[in-house]
Amino acid sequence: MSHSTYNKQWQEAQSSLMDLLQQEIPEQPSKPEKDRLAAFQLLATMYIKYIQIFRKMEQCYDQIVHPQKRRVLRHVLDGTMGRILELKHEMVNLEFSEYHYFDDVLSDLKLTPNDVEIPIPKFFINERYDVLKEREKLLGKILAKIGPQEKEDQKEELKMSLEDAIKMIQVHERARQGRLRAKFMKEIREQEERDRLAQTRGAPTLDPDVAACRIQKVWKGFAQRRRTKKERDEEMIFIGMAPPPLPTSIKNTPQALALKTEATRRITQGNHENEYQQALGTIKEKIKETEGPDIKETMMDQIRQWFIECRDAQGKFPEYPDEDDGGSALIFKEKSPEELEAELNDKDGDKKKKDKKGKKDKKDKKKDKKGKKDKKGKKGKGGDDEEEEEGWKMAESSFVPSINEGTDKYKSVWMTRDEKDNFSQKHDAELIKEEKRKEVEEEIRIQVDELMRAELKNLKAAVDRDKGKKGKGKKSGKKKKKKGKKSGKKGKKKKKEKDLTPDRTIESLYEELVKEGIIVRCPQIRLSEFEGEYSYLGTTLRQANIEPMPSLSDVRRLVTEFGILPLGSQAVHEQAPLTKSILLAGPRGTGKKMLVQAVCNEVGANMFDLTAANIAGKYPGKDGLKMLIHLVFKVGRELQPSVIYIGDCERMFKKKIPKTDPTDPKRLKKELPKAMKGVKSDDRLLLVGTSRCPFDGEMKPLCSLYQRIILIPRPDYASRHLLWRRLILKNNGVITNTLDVSSLSKVTDGYTPGHMLTAITQVLTERRIQTLSKKPLQSVEFIAPLARIDPIYKEEEEAFKGWYAKTPLGKKRAKAAQADDDDGGGGKGGKGGKGKKGKKKGGKKKKK
């Protein structure tokens, strides 16, 4: 697409963002919403609209080549991304569930599920491409050193005795000779049969005209059947009942050409960015040379004029503003000399008053706290009537101001800017001049301030020496304050944790962790490969008081929101609600480890494998364990973003572990939670645990370590239908009319994507792929390998549901649902006293 197309798309996104900001920042404060469903509808609508804006903005940022436009876009893009995460956390706190269903909102807004799919920004990888490439090279070198040792171990395992080797060779040689002998005998028999038939038949006696008619008849029938089949296939492809044929050459497809165009635009982005960086330095130097002396003279003249005005108005020279207060920048504000002098004189008096007020406020706060405690005690006895009347109100956003700032910049600079002459979309020199002129003025102002302070000092000394002494006294007092600040900073440094490896470089620590197998190389898996269909009945089931099982599409969305988006952007991670850890719980084969690897690949993160089996025998003892945790978190912080992975994490919190288990899964039980408490918003670290049997571990410590719990279900019918088609095509299979995917999806209820993949790999061998043109695939072929695998039964799924209901969020949701039922029951009880009694009974039950 062209430059103008992306500019129009950016304009559309900004206009819809301006409409949303009017909702976000109303003129009058909105009243609290008492209805929980209405509040959720409001949040869901805003959430979907922000996702639509985010999709457009992300595409524009990826393809717009103008460097100055991209800076404005990035500012707004980070704000929009953060706002989506804030709204998601608001919905979680409101509904007490990680999963939310928007099918009713989508139908109202006339949107499809694909329109609200959250894209993963490409700049997560593109902007760190060189760093990631160097890290991959380093990892490859380290693994190359370790590699031969692993191969030797494999050779030792595959060794066999000389007698067994001779026997195997003899068996294969005899089989080869037998096959050749059978082949020769078959050819001899066929030749004898042909000779015998030739003797009995004799010469052909068929009339040539009849023979020609027969040939025509057969050929016409064959040609017509082929034509009819072709037309039927084209019709089925047109109405979407059959997949389009695979292209002969992938290079000439429209998709491939579009990807090629996007890649060329990214190259031009880099070239324009380099030119822009060079222009920043050259334009600044030009402004210094041409405009610098004039700016300096005008500033000095203005300050001297200010000296004279103050002298005439007050009969004395003014105090020169300090550097901390802004220096001569205060003088250039539109104020009279009396106002400036009054402000400077009042500062010392205000500081003394503030100190006195601070002491009084502390005493008042203590009294207020005691009063509040008494009130809370009364409320606990009498019920939560006041809180219920308040209702739900949206929390203040930390991203809306930054979005607003970006939109204001867009309005003032880019909305009405004429760019007819800038066809190649290179940097705008005039905008750079405006920015750099301010920087040059600031630098010159500091130099001028030094000169004018000396000049003012000389003037004061000439006019009144006593005032000069007072000025010196003030300066000495300020220096003492600065010393106090420095001493405070030193006190903070002592609180930091001890560095167990102060003399070692990060490269050496990284190499050690790779050699020990703690840092693992992830296979190239993307989140888009975790496929699943959207849940279309979620809201309908919830309205009928039935808790729906989430679909694989919902799981993918949650991993994006809690894992990928915060880790990818530092600006978002610092201000968004902090998610330190995620637990992926689900049956075997649902793709838990695949999701962890996808998170690492999408963000370009290091993967630290702290699974019990992986760290068994490494860093023994208490000191060794402390060193391991220290190394992981130190390297993780230095080379962030980083993902710490723990497989079968419920074993860490099991009550009883068999004595025969050599892995010691409880080893990290105390040290890991302590280390996770030290993770702050500046640290892009994420702990991800996976579990097949989360109900085997203790609930309280497991839920305290893992902040967010994502339950991965077995796939529903729609997801299975999609998975069968995609996995067969991915493994070089061909889907034809003979393969009944619908029946296959129905029969394989309870099987996970992992089970499907094993069945497909067993069926689609190299020899079977070669015979697909003659013998197409049939659904019966997949039944035999699936029959050998145990499916996920409903009992196991119910066990996961029951466990999730016991989690803190599950309990809160159950309480909220019970409260809604009690309120509904109270309303039905009739008007007057009966309705009130119903409510009081509900309140008593809750207290118990």
Side-chain angles (χ1 to χ4, degrees), residues 392-591:
W392 173 85
K393 200 171 183 181
M394 194 180 290
E396 284 186 16
S397 171
S398 53
F399 288 99
V400 168
S402 64
I403 297 170
N404 210 5
E405 189 183 332
T407 48
D408 289 341
K409 199 169 185 182
Y410 169 76
K411 282 180 194 174
S412 59
V413 179
W414 298 109
M415 193 172 179
T416 55
R417 201 171 192 83
D418 187 16
E419 289 190 292
K420 287 178 183 176
D421 299 332
N422 191 8
F423 180 73
S424 59
Q425 290 290 293
K426 291 187 177 181
H427 61 269
D428 196 330
E430 291 299 321
L431 288 173
I432 296 173
K433 281 179 186 176
E434 287 175 16
E435 290 175 10
K436 292 298 169 187
R437 196 173 281 116
K438 290 175 185 176
E439 288 181 19
V440 171
E441 282 178 5
E442 190 65 27
E443 288 174 9
I444 292 168
R445 186 185 62 75
I446 294 164
Q447 297 171 8
V448 169
D449 283 355
E450 290 176 7
L451 294 170
M452 296 313 291
R453 276 195 189 93
E455 192 173 321
L456 182 63
K457 192 179 178 183
N458 294 333
L459 285 169
K460 284 184 178 181
V463 176
D464 193 357
R465 290 179 184 179
D466 297 334
K467 288 180 182 178
K469 286 177 183 177
K470 287 179 184 178
K472 283 180 184 178
K474 283 180 184 177
K475 284 182 182 177
S476 63
K478 281 168 190 172
K479 282 180 184 176
K480 285 177 185 177
K481 283 181 185 177
K482 284 181 181 178
K483 283 179 185 177
K485 284 181 184 177
K486 285 179 183 177
S487 63
K489 285 180 183 176
K490 283 179 183 176
K492 284 182 183 177
K493 284 182 182 177
K494 288 177 185 176
K495 291 179 184 177
K496 287 185 179 179
E497 294 177 5
K498 287 183 180 179
D499 190 359
L500 301 176
T501 54
D503 302 329
R504 294 182 63 184
T505 59
I506 293 296
E507 286 77 12
S508 67
L509 298 176
Y510 182 82
E511 189 174 348
E512 184 185 328
L513 287 172
V514 172
K515 284 180 178 177
E516 290 292 337
I518 306 297
I519 293 178
V520 187
R521 177 184 269 173
C522 294
Q524 290 298 316
I525 294 168
R526 297 290 169 189
L527 193 68
S528 55
E529 293 176 37
F530 186 84
E531 290 174 316
E533 196 56 79
Y534 187 79
S535 179
Y536 293 95
L537 292 172
T539 310
T540 312
L541 289 169
R542 275 195 172 173
Q543 285 172 354
N545 291 328
I546 300 166
E547 187 60 32
M549 280 301 280
S551 68
L552 299 181
S553 173
D554 299 323
V555 173
R556 189 170 65 239
R557 180 186 291 274
L558 278 188
V559 170
T560 307
E561 288 168 336
F562 292 144
I564 294 171
L565 293 184
L567 277 181
S569 174
Q570 183 69 35
V572 174
H573 194 271
E574 284 175 2
Q575 292 185 327
L578 184 60
T579 302
K580 295 182 184 180
S581 51
I582 298 171
L583 172 63
L584 301 173
R588 64 191 184 281
T590 47

Side-chain angles (χ1 to χ4, degrees), residues 316-333:
K316 60 177 180 177
F317 285 112
E319 290 293 331
Y320 204 89
D322 295 327
E323 285 182 18
D324 299 335
D325 298 329
S328 58
L330 283 173
I331 301 164
F332 299 138
K333 288 182 180 178

Side-chain angles (χ1 to χ4, degrees), residues 222-274:
F222 168 73
Q224 185 59 44
R225 282 192 297 275
R226 187 174 65 179
R227 206 178 298 117
T228 308
K229 185 178 179 297
K230 188 181 177 184
E231 288 175 1
R232 191 189 295 115
D233 291 344
E234 285 174 357
E235 187 182 356
M236 295 298 278
I237 290 165
F238 178 72
I239 61 175
M241 294 295 289
L246 294 168
T248 51
S249 63
I250 300 166
K251 291 179 182 178
N252 298 327
T253 56
Q255 292 88 348
L257 292 170
L259 290 171
K260 193 178 178 182
T261 310
E262 287 178 5
T264 51
R265 287 183 76 90
R266 287 191 195 104
I267 292 163
T268 51
Q269 262 180 23
N271 296 335
H272 287 191
E273 181 64 31
N274 293 334

Side-chain angles (χ1 to χ4, degrees), residues 584-595:
L584 301 173
R588 64 191 184 281
T590 47
K592 297 180 288 296
K593 193 171 182 180
M594 178 188 175
L595 284 171

